[in-house]
Amino acid sequence: MRISDFQLKDIVNVTDGKKLGRLADIELNSTTGAISALIIEQSGKKFGLFGKEEEIIIFWMNIVKIGGDVILVRHGEKPSEEDEQ
């Protein structure tokens, strides 16, 4: 899969079903060459006219599924009681 294929996909948070935005960049592990995170540019602001655009970083372990049209991710979940123990 090419980076340009990723850029065409919507990125949706499975926690609340909201579209987070589009892929702006990727972060690579310099040792392995594998993708370590996706950097998402939040939708809603155009050309930076209304302030600096916010970025969301989604680490590879938080990617649930990469489909034909969408990338499903977990973002902003509160840790469960089991995770805290």
Side-chain angles (χ1 to χ4, degrees):
M1 183 173 280
R2 297 176 184 209
I3 294 172
S4 59
D5 294 335
F6 276 96
Q7 291 175 319
L8 297 174
K9 299 175 188 296
D10 289 326
I11 300 174
V12 176
N13 187 358
V14 297
T15 304
D16 58 11
K18 291 185 180 178
K19 180 179 167 185
L20 296 176
R22 297 262 183 182
L23 183 70
D25 207 349
I26 60 171
E27 186 175 298
L28 297 175
N29 179 314
S30 60
T31 306
T32 64
I35 297 173
S36 59
L38 301 179
I39 300 171
I40 302 166
E41 187 176 86
Q42 284 188 302
S43 56
K45 296 182 181 177
K46 301 291 182 202
F47 309 112
L49 294 175
F50 304 107
K52 184 179 178 190
E53 299 217 10
E54 297 291 322
E55 291 180 337
I56 299 173
I57 298 175
I58 304 292
F59 294 102
W60 189 255
M61 67 182 143
N62 292 326
I63 297 173
V64 176
K65 177 83 174 169
I66 299 174
D69 298 325
V70 71
I71 300 173
L72 300 176
V73 300
R74 282 194 180 89
H75 175 69
E77 279 188 341
K78 294 180 182 177
S80 67
E81 290 179 19
E82 292 176 4
D83 293 340
E84 293 176 357
Q85 296 176 357

